[in-house]
Amino acid sequence: MNVASNWFNSVTKNLQSYRPYLPAALTLCTGTGLSLIAAAVVWHWENQRMEAEFHQQADRLNAALQQSINKNLDFLYSIQAFYSASTEVSRQDFKQFVQPALARNSAIRSVNWVLRVPAADKAAYEEAIRAEGFPAFQIYERDADKKPVPVKVRSEYFPVTYREALEADIKALGFDLASNPDRKAALEKSVNTRKIAASGKIKLVSNDRLGLQLFLPVAGRTSSPDNSANSRENIRGVISGVFQITNMVNFYLESLNLDHINFYLYDNSATAKERFLVRYDSQTKQLIDNPQLEQPELTNLREPICENHSACTRTFNVADRQWMLLVLPAKGYNGLSAHEGSLAIGAIGLLMTGSLTIYLLMSLERTAKVEQQVRDRTIQLKERTAELETALKNLQQAQFKLIQTEKMSSLGQLVAGVAHEINNPVCFISGNLSHAGEYTQNLLELVEIYQQQYPNPTPEVQAKLKDIDLDFISEDLPKILKSMNAGADRIRQIVLFLRNFSRLDEAEMKSVNIHEGIDSTLMILESRLKANGDFPGIKIIKEYGSLPLVECWAGQLNQVFMNVLSNAIDVFSDENKKDLTRKYPSDSGFLPAIRIRTELLSYNCVCVRIADNGAGMTENVKKHLFEPFFTTKPVGKGTGLGLSIGYQIVEKHQGSLRCVSAPGEGTEFWIEVPVRQQPEPSVANISSAVNVSRF
C-alpha cells in the first residue's frame, strides 16, 4: 500500500513539473494538426483548380483547331465564290488568285481545279489543254504500281485541269481523281450532295506526311430545277485542296500553353485502323503523325482529371467528317510542382508552430505582452500618421479647388453680365446703322439731283461745297458707315464667343458643336497668340473633321480646351525660350504653331488632338503630368491643377485624356469623349471636380 501510494505521488509530482510546458505542448499539437489540415485542404483545392484549368485548356485547344480548319475551308469557299462570279477562269487567273494564300499558309500543299468532263467531251477537252502548251496532255490514272496509264473508259472524268502547289509539279495535270479509291468516295459525295466533302487521311507524295483532301463543287451559271437527275450535270467542276494535317494543327499551337499536356487527333468517320491522324508530345513540343505511336500513354493519367475518358475528348467537324480530340495530362502535370502552395502552407504552418512553441518556452509572459503592446502602438501611430497626411493632402486639394471654382464661377458671371450689357447697346447701334446708311444714301442722291437741276449755284453755295469737299464726303461717308457696321458685328461676335465659352445657363448635358467651343476658347486666348515685340506669334492650324453634335457639359469641356491650349501657348513663353533656341536656332525660320485636329474615331467617339511644335517633354515629366499640384513652371506661374482637373472632367464624360510627347518632338494631347453619354450621376455629383481654371 505504501509502495503504490509512493508511486502515485511520484507520478503526480512529475506531471506537475511538466505543467508549465502544457501550453507549449498544446500549441505544438494544435499548430501541427491545423497546418496539416490546411495543407490537405489546399492540396484538394489545387487538384480541383488543375482539373478546371486542364478542361479549359482542352476547350481552348479544341476551339483553336476548329478555327484553323475553318480558315482553310474559307479559302476553298473563296475560290468557289471566285468561280461562281466569273464566266470563265483562265489558268493565269487561277494562279494569281491562289498563289498569295499558298505563300501565307504552309498547311496548303496544293489547290486544284478539277473539271467535270463527260465521256463525249474527253477528246475535245484533251485537245484544248494541249493547245494551252501541254502537248503530251491526256487524262490518265495510276495502276497498282503507281505508274501512269491511260484512263479507263467511264461515263465521266474528273481530271486535274489547273494546279498550284508549294512544289511545282505539272505531272499531276490530267490525273483523274475519280480513279483513286482514297479520294473517289469524297469526290462522289461532294458532287452528289453539292457540298464540301473531305477524304480520310492520305499520304502526301511530296514529303510522306499525313494529309487530307477536300472537295468543293462549283455549279454552273444556271441551276437545273431537277435537283436529283440533273444536279450532277450542272456541276462545272470541283475545287480540290490538299492540306498537311500537322501544319493545320500547328498554326494556332504557339498561342496556347500546352506544358505537360499531350493530345491525340482522330478521324471518327474513318475505320478503326485509319482513325489516327496526329499526336502532340509536350516534352519535345512536336507533332507526330506516325501511326505506330497512336496509342495514348494512359499510365501518366492523374485522377480524377481523366477518370472518365469522355471528359477529356472533344469533337469538331471538318467538312462532312467528324474529328475527335483526346487531351491527356503528361507526366509531371499534377506533380509536386503543382502543389507548391499546399506544401508551402504546410511548411509555413509547421515553421510558425515550432517558432511559437519555442517562443512560449523561452519568453516571459510579461515581456511578450509589453512587446506586443509596443508593436500595436507603433502600427497605430503609423496608420494615424498616414491618415493625417492623406487628410491634409485632400484638404489642401479640396481647398484650392473650392477657391478656383469660386473664381471661375465669379468670372463666368462677370463675363455673362458684361456680354449682356454690351449686347444691348450694340444691337441698338447695329439696328440704327442700317437706317442711317439708308438716310445718308437718300440725302446724297438728293444732292446729286439738285446739282443736276441747278448746275450753277450761288457763290455762297459753291464756297461751302469747296470747303466741305462734297465729292470726298459722298465717297467716304458710306465707307465709314460700313466700317461702323463691321465693328458692331465684331462686338456681337465677341459677345457670342464669351457666352458660348462660359455656358453658365446650361446646368444639364446638351448636344453641342465641339468646334464652336474650340473657336470660342481661341478667341479668348487671341491676345496671347498675336505677335508682340520679339515674339513672332503663334500660328493656329485647324484641321476640323466632320463631327456630329456631342452630348456634354459644354462649359466644362471648354475649360479642358482652355487648360490644354494655355499649356501649349506657355511652351513658347519666355521661360521656355532656352529649350526652343537649343532645338531651333534663331536663323532657322522657326514659327511657333499649334495644330488642332478633330476626327470621328468610331460611331460613338470623337477625338480632339491639340499639338504644338515645342521642345517636348521627358518620360519622367509625362508620368506625373496628370497628378495634382505637379508643374514644371516657375513659382507663381502655375498651380499644377489644370491638367489634373481636365483629366477628371474628361473622365467624368466617360472619355480619356492622354499625352504623346518626346524630347525635341513637340507635344500632342488626345481628348476623346463619347458622342452619347451612358447613364451617369447628375451634374451635382461631378461639380466638385470641374469648373476650375488654371492661373
Side-chain angles (χ1 to χ4, degrees), residues 377-626:
R377 186 58 179 168
T378 302
I379 293 174
Q380 291 176 0
L381 290 174
K382 288 182 178 180
E383 292 176 350
R384 184 59 178 167
T385 301
E387 290 175 358
L388 291 174
E389 291 176 352
T390 303
L392 179 59
K393 184 176 180 181
N394 292 339
L395 181 60
Q396 291 175 341
Q397 184 175 354
Q399 182 181 15
F400 195 87
K401 285 183 179 180
L402 185 61
I403 295 172
Q404 297 296 83
T405 301
E406 186 63 27
K407 285 183 179 180
M408 190 60 184
S409 177
S410 300
L411 178 61
Q413 292 175 6
L414 177 61
V415 166
V418 170
H420 178 74
E421 292 300 326
I422 293 176
N423 194 49
N424 287 336
V426 167
C427 290
F428 174 79
I429 294 172
S430 178
N432 288 329
L433 280 174
S434 60
H435 298 296
E438 182 180 353
Y439 298 158
T440 301
Q441 187 64 32
N442 292 336
L443 290 175
L444 292 175
E445 289 175 357
L446 178 61
V447 171
E448 183 178 356
I449 293 172
Y450 180 83
Q451 288 178 331
Q452 293 175 358
Q453 296 296 326
Y454 299 98
N456 298 313
T458 62
E460 290 84 3
V461 173
Q462 290 182 0
K464 189 63 177 179
L465 290 176
K466 184 177 181 180
D467 183 47
I468 64 175
D469 195 355
L470 180 62
D471 293 336
F472 175 79
I473 292 176
S474 301
E475 180 182 354
D476 190 57
L477 184 56
K479 294 180 181 180
I480 293 174
L481 292 175
K482 185 177 180 181
S483 176
M484 293 170 64
N485 194 37
D489 289 339
R490 175 60 176 165
I491 295 173
R492 279 205 310 271
Q493 185 181 18
I494 292 173
V495 170
L496 179 62
F497 281 156
L498 290 174
R499 289 178 55 83
N500 187 32
F501 177 82
S502 62
R503 298 272 184 169
L504 292 177
D505 55 339
E506 298 181 4
E508 298 180 354
M509 275 194 175
K510 290 186 179 180
S511 296
V512 299
N513 188 337
I514 289 294
H515 295 154
E516 291 181 358
I518 298 175
D519 292 339
S520 300
T521 306
L522 290 173
M523 188 280 301
I524 294 174
L525 296 172
E526 185 175 4
S527 62
R528 300 185 62 189
L529 301 173
K530 294 180 179 179
N532 184 12
D534 295 337
F535 182 60
I538 300 174
K539 181 180 180 181
I540 299 297
I541 304 171
K542 298 180 182 179
E543 298 177 1
Y544 288 172
S546 179
L547 301 183
L549 296 180
V550 177
E551 187 179 30
C552 64
W553 287 280
Q556 299 167 9
L557 210 54
N558 289 343
Q559 184 183 346
V560 178
F561 300 149
M562 171 69 77
N563 292 343
V564 175
L565 286 170
S566 295
N567 278 353
I569 295 172
D570 290 341
V571 169
F572 306 107
S573 63
D574 294 338
E575 292 79 6
N576 297 316
K577 278 187 177 179
K578 184 182 296 184
D579 293 335
L580 292 174
T581 304
R582 189 183 303 115
K583 179 183 176 184
Y584 302 104
S586 58
D587 59 350
S588 65
F590 168 70
L591 177 64
I594 297 176
R595 177 173 50 82
I596 306 174
R597 176 183 298 172
T598 64
E599 56 186 324
L600 187 64
L601 297 183
S602 67
Y603 77 96
N604 194 40
C605 182
V606 298
C607 178
V608 179
R609 297 163 57 182
I610 301 175
D612 62 65
N613 59 347
M617 62 182 71
T618 64
E619 285 296 326
N620 185 50
V621 173
K622 285 172 60 179
K623 285 193 301 183
H624 304 284
L625 198 59
F626 301 110

Side-chain angles (χ1 to χ4, degrees), residues 75 79 82 89-102 104 162-164:
F75 172 59
I79 302 177
F82 178 62
V89 177
S90 66
R91 192 179 302 276
Q92 185 63 25
D93 294 337
F94 184 83
K95 180 178 180 180
Q96 291 179 351
F97 189 87
V98 171
Q99 276 293 344
L102 283 175
R104 293 192 303 267
Y162 301 161
R163 176 179 174 83
E164 294 298 328

